[in-house]
Amino acid sequence: MSVTVLEQANIFEIRTDKSSYVFGINEKGIIQHLYWGAHVEAADCGYLLKSRLHSSFDAEIDRETEEYGGWGGCNYAEPALKVSFADGVRDLKLRYEGYRVVGENEIVLRMVDSYYPLDIEVHYKAIPEYDLIERFVHVRNSQTESVRIEQVTAAVWTVQALPDYRMTHVTGRWAGEYQLRSTVLSEGKKVLESRRGFTGPHANPWFAIDNGKADETSGSVWFGALGWSGNWKIVAEKSTFGHVRIVGGVNDFDSAFVLAPGEVYATPVFVGGFTSGGFGQMSRNLHKYQRDYVLPTSELRKVLYNSWEATEFAVTVEGQKELAQQAARLGVERFVVDDGWFGERHSDRAGLGDWYVNAEKFPNGLEELIDYVKELGMEFGLWVEPESVNPNSDLFRAHPEWVYQFPTREGTQLRNQLLLNLGLPEVKQFVLHFMTTLLTKYDIRFIKWDMNRTVTEPGTVASGQDVGASMWIKHVDHLYDIWAELRGRFPHVEFETCAGGGARIDLGILRYADQAWISDNTDARDRISIQEGFSYAYSPSVMMCWVTESPHGFNGRSLPLSYRFHSAMMGGLGIGANISKWSTEEMEKAKRYVELYKEIRPVILNGDMYRLSSLRDSNVAAYQYNSKDRSESVVFTFLQSQHFGSEVRHLLLQGLVSHASYEVNIDEGEPFVRQGSTLMNLGVAVSLRGDYKSIMIRIKRLE
Ligand code: GLA
């Protein structure tokens, strides 16, 4: 049981294996946050439940920290909820009404406005084994009139009593996603958000706070991740009284909506956690949580081949067959045809929206290729981009009113395409229908679902359909509905989330997606940084990585095949090169890497990941993966460039059993035996010389 209620003292504790989260009801009926961190005795926190007025300019609300508060009275902090009532009153006074405990791990607090019957349920669901709490809110309009919701967030997290607050987050852009940043929070706000209609490559809804001293292996870290794939906002606000509140949910920008009488709005889930084990433990807790509670399947990622970088739009049945034959020789398990197979899609200027198989490219239908792929022992996968349309398409010519647009404006084209208004019921039906036809007619086992542009001009000319600003929310709701429906109808099909690379990855879409394409940048060196940033919040079990050409088109950088494979073996392995041009020697080497990957795959995808060293502050990057029972471990080490002749370094491994003996294999070298304690404290000596060298170490426990 994670929830304890001290009725007399009006104090509540959510206790996970290694954390306490304590709040109480003060004499004004406000739910006040009291403590979040390593275990404490909840009853001892009672003295914190006091009104702490400072001056008439700084109301007590500035000093106290509300668990979930409305905009009203003298509350000037970023509000959790802001509404406008039908009579024009825009002041919310939420008062605690009661609680209920659901099952072992959930508590729901009920709040209601002091005058208007607007009911708020604040949900907390503990995940005790990973020291996490899922939070979300239900807003019920029990009035007879509508209420306008101007801002509604999923949770407010409070971190307090640190001398300094450092916030870590990711930023990026197309082909450069998941770049880590950290900043010291001074008084005021740091806002992370998306206003682009999807999660975005520019920021991602995940944050971590520490005192500036936590590292990979030690220190207290408070963190959270929001599950929403549309416009989102996370505001970290440091008050002048020294605490930090992190408020997050669907972005309120341009997003007010009307809640009709009797209607309930449910926010997305915002999960938060605490660890005293540094950023490494934070990531491992999030990874395990995703695997156990968020992701739809626990299947291991299949080794895939994707034809995009080899052919781009020049798809032909013969070309694809040739690639498939080569892919099968490498041991690939899933063959995926990317963009260019449908409609008049010969470039990015036409065809998007016309989801029929192009008869010139596939004169005998798609079946010919699918059968061929299956005969080679692989399953077949296909790329789609259902939310977009080229103006030069039959779909657009038939339904120009289906795209986002304002009546007096021309829609902005990005990559020569417009975006369908998925919020319209007929568009939702269209997408569901063509996807159902495709998945019924053909033996397709995998869908890569792309979205290659942001939302602009978010209006509609479809008559009687204007849902106003809430279209931002509707698009995502309908997207989730479609994925849920398709997963139900086609349980044997796996889905990948892609948006021009990694622009739609968050805990919302990961409830429906088995895997994620994290960047169009497949340069194996750049990928190390992108994959490292990604791993702070997201599990390697969803992270798809391809081996592609050298020199690479993005940077012109040449990298050895070993480096390219090692970098891509850190998650779900894929091959995206033009393998019909690979030499026999390259094919032989690649085949061995695929075999090796299949051996270590359970450790990589289901194990615990440790970031041992980073190219952010060293010329060596190293990542270790341990099997759950710590009997097996895999380490990838990458040298940027050797300097000053110092070639040997000791990598301090983590998470092994101290007293156990392990056999260590460094690449193809002679195996040797070391104790777990030695490997963790003295380390394992690796010798790296030159530029872009990489080494893989395998470690196995001896009985
Ligand atoms: C996006 C994806 C790529 C590829 C292309 C096809 O950029 O991220 O992987 O599928 O679209 O147009």
Side-chain angles (χ1 to χ4, degrees):
M1 185 78 173
S2 315
V3 179
T4 309
V5 182
L6 306 175
E7 297 274 359
Q8 294 295 316
N10 261 334
I11 287 183
F12 301 75
E13 182 188 17
I14 301 170
R15 197 177 181 86
T16 66
D17 287 3
K18 294 198 183 82
S19 77
S20 290
Y21 187 103
V22 187
F23 51 84
I25 316 299
N26 70 18
E27 71 272 10
K28 294 186 173 153
I30 288 173
I31 310 169
Q32 205 179 313
H33 179 83
L34 300 179
Y35 174 81
W36 188 21
H39 283 160
V40 293
E41 188 59 44
D44 295 345
C45 299
Y47 79 98
L48 294 167
L49 249 194
K50 274 198 238 122
S51 248
R52 286 175 275 172
L53 187 66
H54 181 66
S55 76
S56 61
F57 299 100
D58 307 294
E60 61 267 39
I61 209 89
D62 286 336
R63 306 194 69 189
E64 294 158 4
T65 45
E66 268 185 295
E67 273 298 301
Y68 194 83
W71 182 74
C74 49
N75 189 348
Y76 300 107
E78 181 73 18
L81 182 63
K82 183 176 186 309
V83 307
S84 187
F85 293 104
D87 58 7
V89 170
R90 305 193 314 282
D91 182 84
L92 197 55
K93 277 200 173 32
L94 295 180
R95 294 291 174 264
Y96 171 73
E97 274 272 302
Y99 73 91
R100 66 175 196 277
V101 174
V102 185
E104 290 277 295
N105 297 322
E106 185 173 356
I107 180 162
V108 186
L109 305 179
R110 211 166 79 79
M111 298 161 93
V112 71
D113 182 78
S114 59
Y115 180 86
Y116 303 90
L118 187 71
D119 301 307
I120 317 297
E121 280 193 351
V122 183
H123 292 247
Y124 299 78
K125 204 169 178 180
I127 315 286
E129 66 277 31
Y130 304 138
D131 301 304
L132 299 171
I133 301 172
E134 288 186 334
R135 287 185 61 177
F136 55 96
V137 167
H138 288 175
V139 179
R140 174 187 294 278
N141 182 11
S142 306
Q143 309 169 88
T144 48
E145 284 176 292
S146 293
V147 61
R148 191 175 151 83
I149 309 286
E150 291 171 1
Q151 178 165 8
V152 50
T153 64
V156 179
W157 302 100
T158 301
V159 183
Q160 51 192 348
L162 299 185
D164 267 314
Y165 298 85
R166 175 175 65 175
M167 183 179 197
T168 304
H169 62 99
V170 286
T171 183
R173 55 171 193 262
W174 176 75
E177 299 89 339
Y178 301 100
Q179 302 300 304
L180 280 162
R181 294 287 183 273
S182 58
T183 181
V184 172
L185 297 174
S186 58
E187 287 72 6
K189 292 177 181 178
K190 168 80 183 167
V191 180
L192 307 176
E193 66 171 351
S194 167
R195 297 185 182 193
R196 295 161 198 260
F198 60 8
T199 326
H202 306 85
N204 187 273
W206 159 78
F207 74 89
I209 305 276
D210 75 303
N211 66 0
K213 297 193 176 115
D215 57 24
E216 280 295 315
T217 55
S218 67
S220 293
V221 183
W222 292 259
F223 55 93
L226 177 75
W228 186 245
S229 314
N231 285 354
W232 56 273
K233 184 167 96 169
I234 292 179
V235 178
E237 181 170 19
K238 185 177 176 192
S239 79
T240 49
F241 289 94
H243 55 258
V244 166
R245 289 159 35 102
I246 302 100
V247 187
V250 171
N251 204 329
D252 56 313
F253 174 76
D254 191 41
S255 235
F257 63 94
V258 167
L259 201 61
E263 258 184 354
V264 179
Y265 171 76
T267 70
V269 174
F270 196 175
V271 71
F274 167 80
T275 178
S276 54
F279 292 104
Q281 193 58 47
M282 167 200 73
S283 298
R284 287 187 291 281
N285 288 353
L286 280 170
H287 297 171
K288 287 190 269 207
Y289 161 68
Q290 285 153 35
R291 292 198 296 256
D292 293 354
Y293 293 88
V294 180
L295 291 163
T297 62
S298 55
E299 289 276 315
L300 292 178
R301 307 276 58 80
K302 295 221 157 69
V303 177
L304 66 74
Y305 178 80
N306 179 295
S307 62
W308 173 244
E309 291 198 21
T311 68
E312 296 212 339
F313 299 97
V315 173
T316 62
V317 68
E318 288 313 324
Q320 295 292 316
K321 276 168 123 180
E322 198 182 331
L323 289 167
Q325 197 184 34
Q326 290 288 88
R329 278 178 58 198
L330 294 180
V332 164
E333 298 158 314
R334 171 182 286 161
F335 184 82
V336 185
V337 177
D338 209 278
D339 200 348
W341 59 269
F342 54 91
E344 291 305 317
R345 185 76 169 162
H346 307 291
S347 73
D348 63 16
R349 288 187 294 280
L352 210 49
D354 299 339
W355 299 106
Y356 60 86
V357 176
N358 181 294
E360 256 170 73
K361 298 179 179 183
F362 295 94
N364 306 315
L366 199 55
E367 293 88 344
E368 180 185 349
L369 179 62
I370 297 178
D371 291 347
Y372 189 76
V373 164
K374 281 164 61 184
E375 275 161 30
L376 288 167
M378 298 181 290
E379 58 175 52
F380 184 78
L382 205 58
W383 177 97
V384 291
E385 191 183 345
E387 295 149 89
S388 291
V389 63
N390 284 122
N392 185 4
S393 67
D394 294 343
L395 180 69
F396 184 76
R397 283 183 281 274
H399 290 292
E401 78 286 5
W402 278 8
V403 298
Y404 286 117
Q405 71 183 109
F406 290 118
T408 56
R409 305 277 174 212
E410 190 132 310
T412 303
Q413 290 187 33
L414 296 169
R415 209 193 188 207
N416 307 304
Q417 65 201 53
L418 296 166
L419 212 58
L420 294 176
N421 183 345
L422 202 61
L424 298 175
E426 56 271 36
V427 175
K428 180 182 177 185
Q429 274 320 311
F430 163 77
V431 172
L432 249 178
H433 181 256
F434 93 72
M435 284 302 297
T436 300
T437 309
L438 210 55
L439 295 174
T440 308
K441 182 160 181 211
Y442 302 109
D443 188 1
I444 295 169
R445 299 292 166 124
F446 171 78
I447 287 290
K448 173 177 172 184
W449 185 298
D450 210 340
M451 185 203 192
N452 275 313
R453 56 156 298 162
T454 53
V455 178
T456 56
E457 296 90 21
T460 182
V461 293
S463 54
Q465 294 278 16
D466 193 359
V467 291
S470 69
M471 57 64 52
W472 294 109
I473 297 174
K474 264 234 155 105
H475 188 112
V476 183
D477 280 345
H478 281 187
L479 178 76
Y480 289 164
D481 288 350
I482 292 169
W483 280 52
E485 188 61 35
L486 291 174
R487 292 210 69 114
R489 290 184 194 172
F490 305 98
H492 56 281
V493 180
E494 288 195 3
F495 286 77
E496 178 172 276
T497 175
C498 171
R504 189 155 63 190
I505 304 172
D506 57 81
L507 295 183
I509 200 79
L510 289 180
R511 289 185 190 276
Y512 307 97
D514 302 279
Q515 59 188 56
W517 182 232
I518 72 163
S519 181
D520 278 349
N521 186 344
T522 57
D523 171 276
R525 160 62 191 87
D526 281 0
R527 267 300 184 118
I528 302 232
S529 304
I530 294 170
Q531 292 170 188
E532 178 180 293
F534 182 83
S535 78
Y536 269 67
Y538 301 109
S539 167
S541 66
V542 298
M543 178 173 87
M544 293 310 294
C545 324
W546 301 346
V547 174
T548 54
E549 301 294 346
S550 174
H552 194 274
F554 273 51
N555 297 325
R557 183 185 284 128
S558 295
L559 292 168
L561 195 65
S562 50
Y563 189 106
R564 283 180 277 150
F565 262 98
H566 288 155
S567 166
M569 284 156 84
M570 285 173 52
L573 176 65
I575 301 191
N578 191 351
I579 46 178
S580 46
K581 296 227 169 82
W582 275 13
S583 67
T584 318
E585 196 198 337
E586 279 174 306
M587 287 295 289
E588 271 314 306
K589 273 194 191 163
K591 186 173 172 228
R592 280 205 300 278
Y593 279 117
V594 172
E595 274 164 17
L596 185 60
Y597 175 75
K598 287 179 183 166
E599 279 177 36
I600 61 170
R601 173 164 53 184
V603 180
I604 304 291
L605 301 179
N606 284 340
D608 283 332
M609 182 194 189
Y610 295 83
R611 293 177 293 258
L612 305 181
S613 178
S614 170
L615 290 178
R616 284 182 296 134
D617 51 19
S618 158
N619 62 342
V620 168
Y623 310 93
Q624 179 187 354
Y625 298 76
N626 287 357
S627 64
K628 273 187 205 150
D629 64 358
R630 302 190 289 167
S631 66
E632 219 187 319
S633 184
V634 179
V635 184
F636 297 107
T637 309
F638 304 90
L639 174 71
Q640 180 73 9
S641 275
Q642 190 200 350
H643 295 295
F644 314 121
S646 54
E647 67 182 85
V648 176
R649 73 190 63 230
H650 283 83
L651 285 179
L652 302 187
L653 304 190
Q654 294 181 38
L656 301 174
V657 180
S658 293
H659 60 267
S661 293
Y662 289 91
E663 185 186 85
V664 182
N665 280 273
I666 301 183
D667 272 345
E668 327 253 88
E670 273 300 298
F672 54 90
V673 176
R674 294 279 186 280
Q675 268 240 326
S677 58
T678 311
L679 292 171
M680 293 191 288
N681 298 323
L682 173 60
V684 55
V686 291
S687 172
L688 291 154
R689 283 167 65 79
D691 298 327
Y692 302 119
K693 288 287 151 32
S694 61
I695 283 176
M696 180 178 143
I697 309 172
R698 287 185 75 179
I699 296 160
K700 277 194 185 140
R701 188 175 175 169
L702 299 171
E703 290 313 317

